[in-house]
Amino acid sequence: LTQAVVAAQTFMATQQTALRLRHGANRREPFSGVRKGLLRTRSDRRAYIMNSTFDQASWQNTPDSVIQPEEEDQQDVPHFGESQELAKGFEIRPIVNGILHASQEQKRNFKSLDQLFNVGRTTFDLAAGYPPGEELYGSYAMHLRRDKQRGERHAARLQALTRWGPKDLGPWAFTRRAVEEVVVESQMLQSHMLEPLDMMQLHWRDYSQRTHWDALHRLCDMRELGRIRSVGLCNFDTEHLDQIADRGLGVVSNQVLMSVVDRRALRFMADVCLETNTKLLAYGVLMGGLLSERWLGVGEPGLHHRGPQLDHTSQQQYKDVIDAWGGWVLFQRLLKVCKQIADKHDVTIAMVAERWVLQQRAVASAVMGTRVGMSEHPVSTEILLSVELDAADLGMLDEIHDESISLFDVFGDCGDELRRRL
């Protein structure tokens, strides 16, 4: 808590000059009264920000010349690959880092995040209220700002896509005050004390509770107030995505499961996204690591006591998907085809699986699970985007898929399998 207070005070102090330049030297600055020890508790910090007279809309609409680095200062800032615009002034990177786990050592975590940053992977997918994502992201942002060689111009490259899955679905949970508290909490954890969140994605687990409309309207209110830049969805099905688009709420994306095995999003949702200018963010692209050389030519996990063992719970969930899709034998044939394509392009099976997803219609980014501080040498965005699967490659993958069972018929639309677990 002490570190959080110090970080908040340091960041606010560094923005005083920026505020004067943006709003005029005579304008009363919202944080001019901050003193050492003023924000002693989390509730104090939340209340201070929410009750501030800071003009969020004015801040959002003013030029970015103060905070954003000048063109000549950006020469040493990594920038790889093409980006897609999700909202006005907000572009998303093609590869998003989903923070799954992190080591207990901060230096190892920062080193791992530096490796991601240096290969152009500067966008992160975070879950609101679930450690270690937001805390780690905020600490790393502060780490970059304090670095004399990198500073604010590097930190400005970072992006955070925040997922919010409310546990309480009653109408009282979605008053303007309640939703604002959620947003401000994420602002604090991500070290966005003065800047809006890049994106808030709403995940909804029970459509019988129609309060998702209340939640969406409150998030849109936060967007208009300048608390967040854009509003997205997570695991919404096609029917509800279409209803939301019809209401003109300006939702820009929907994050769903998609892989060369799980193609449900291409059944109906992709076409709706193209019609409504909504982008798909795909996760589960590598099926927990099962789409890799490690599992090529390997016996089916779990059949024999001495056989290969799955590494974690998510791999077991993806193994269940493979069983429903066509089984381990067909999956091995898919891996062999992926390996053949990988050798043709001098890449890995994982890169083939990632590239296949990125080439699908309406897809803006692939969310790749990252174990920060536990794995090294991430694939460069530039290298991944330099590979393009041709018609022959895609045809070989489609031939295998044509022999499989439709996961849409088994599980339903995107996200339905999650709602069935309730």
Side-chain angles (χ1 to χ4, degrees):
L1 180 59
T2 302
Q3 292 179 345
V5 172
V6 172
Q9 292 172 342
T10 302
F11 181 57
M12 288 186 287
T14 59
Q15 301 300 317
Q16 294 302 312
T17 302
L19 284 169
R20 292 191 186 96
L21 291 174
R22 281 180 180 271
H23 303 291
N26 295 326
R27 183 185 178 98
R28 184 173 69 85
E29 297 170 6
F31 296 102
S32 60
V34 175
R35 304 181 302 276
K36 183 178 180 180
L38 175 64
L39 307 180
R40 293 184 182 276
T41 67
R42 177 174 292 181
S43 60
D44 288 340
R45 297 195 302 276
R46 180 189 294 115
Y48 192 80
I49 297 175
M50 293 178 65
N51 294 327
S52 171
T53 58
F54 179 57
D55 188 348
Q56 292 279 2
S58 177
W59 171 270
Q60 184 183 34
N61 295 326
T62 49
D64 292 332
S65 58
V66 176
I67 297 300
Q68 297 298 329
E70 296 295 336
E71 199 69 32
E72 58 268 24
D73 293 335
Q74 297 186 23
Q75 296 178 359
D76 61 337
V77 180
H79 185 75
F80 301 104
E82 300 178 356
S83 298
Q84 292 202 39
E85 187 175 67
L86 288 187
K88 185 177 180 180
F90 178 55
E91 295 183 345
I92 191 173
R93 309 293 295 133
I95 298 295
V96 176
N97 308 302
I99 298 181
L100 301 177
H101 302 284
S103 74
Q104 298 298 316
E105 300 179 23
Q106 189 178 64
K107 289 185 178 180
R108 289 184 61 184
N109 291 337
F110 285 175
K111 179 181 178 182
S112 181
L113 293 173
D114 281 339
Q115 290 178 333
L116 291 170
F117 188 96
N118 291 334
V119 296
R121 294 174 57 169
T122 57
T123 303
F124 292 82
D125 180 71
L126 313 171
Y130 290 88
E134 291 187 301
E135 295 92 333
L136 179 57
Y137 177 90
S139 298
Y140 183 64
M142 292 301 300
H143 169 71
L144 287 180
R145 292 186 182 103
R146 291 169 178 169
D147 191 308
K148 293 182 180 179
Q149 294 182 344
R150 293 181 290 183
E152 183 64 38
R153 67 185 184 278
H154 276 68
R157 290 287 188 192
L158 295 177
Q159 295 176 318
L161 314 182
T162 308
R163 283 177 288 113
W164 176 39
K167 296 179 181 179
D168 188 348
L169 304 185
W172 51 83
F174 305 109
T175 64
R176 177 168 172 172
R177 184 77 175 184
V179 174
E180 192 169 20
E181 286 188 2
V182 173
V183 173
V184 169
E185 182 81 4
S186 289
Q187 282 182 297
M188 291 188 299
L189 293 174
Q190 297 178 29
S191 296
H192 282 293
M193 300 295 285
L194 298 181
E195 290 282 351
L197 296 177
D198 292 316
M199 176 188 284
M200 194 65 117
Q201 306 168 90
L202 178 65
H203 169 70
W204 203 257
R205 54 192 176 89
D206 186 3
Y207 291 133
S208 66
Q209 300 286 335
R210 294 184 56 79
T211 44
H212 64 279
W213 292 112
D214 298 326
L216 280 171
H217 281 291
R218 295 295 82 75
L219 288 178
C220 290
D221 290 342
M222 295 299 102
R223 181 187 59 202
E224 298 306 314
L225 288 172
R227 295 278 189 196
I228 57 180
R229 288 193 173 94
S230 55
V231 177
L233 305 173
C234 183
N235 286 315
F236 271 67
D237 62 18
T238 305
E239 178 185 358
H240 290 84
L241 174 65
D242 197 23
Q243 291 175 2
I244 292 168
D246 284 343
R247 292 205 181 187
L249 297 179
V251 168
V252 299
S253 65
N254 188 22
Q255 185 177 158
V256 295
L257 270 172
M258 184 189 293
S259 68
V260 68
V261 169
D262 190 345
R263 305 187 181 191
R264 287 176 295 162
L266 301 179
R267 182 82 169 261
F268 300 115
M269 184 172 294
D271 291 333
V272 171
C273 287
L274 292 176
E275 293 172 3
T276 59
N277 196 29
T278 306
K279 299 297 184 181
L280 289 175
L281 311 182
Y283 74 95
V285 174
L286 300 183
M287 304 190 73
L290 294 177
L291 284 167
S292 65
E293 279 80 1
R294 178 184 174 186
W295 294 96
L296 176 61
V298 175
E300 184 171 1
L303 287 183
H304 306 287
H305 179 69
R306 296 183 179 180
Q309 299 299 312
L310 299 172
D311 295 334
H312 40 79
T313 305
S314 65
Q315 279 194 345
Q316 182 59 61
Q317 294 173 348
Y318 287 118
K319 171 61 168 57
D320 294 340
V321 172
I322 291 172
D323 293 341
W325 173 75
W328 193 253
V329 173
L330 185 61
F331 183 68
Q332 284 296 312
R333 290 177 55 196
L334 175 65
L335 287 179
K336 289 179 181 178
V337 169
C338 289
K339 178 60 175 174
Q340 182 179 345
I341 298 172
D343 291 342
K344 170 184 172 181
H345 295 281
D346 195 22
V347 295
T348 64
I349 289 177
M351 292 178 68
V352 170
E354 291 176 55
R355 201 66 184 96
W356 182 88
V357 167
L358 289 174
Q359 287 184 210
Q360 301 309 305
R361 63 190 189 278
V363 173
S365 296
V367 182
M368 310 301 299
T370 305
R371 299 178 183 274
V372 180
M374 303 177 187
S375 59
E376 308 293 337
H377 310 299
V379 175
S380 167
T381 302
E382 187 176 33
I383 294 176
L384 178 61
L385 295 181
S386 68
V387 178
E388 184 170 359
L389 305 185
D390 57 32
D393 301 330
L394 299 174
M396 293 168 63
L397 295 172
D398 289 343
E399 287 179 7
I400 297 294
H401 187 75
D402 290 342
E403 300 181 34
S404 68
I405 299 171
S406 169
L407 291 179
F408 194 99
D409 296 336
V410 176
F411 296 125
D413 204 351
C414 297
D416 284 352
E417 73 283 359
L418 302 175
R419 287 176 279 275
R420 287 180 181 179
R421 296 175 190 170
L422 297 176

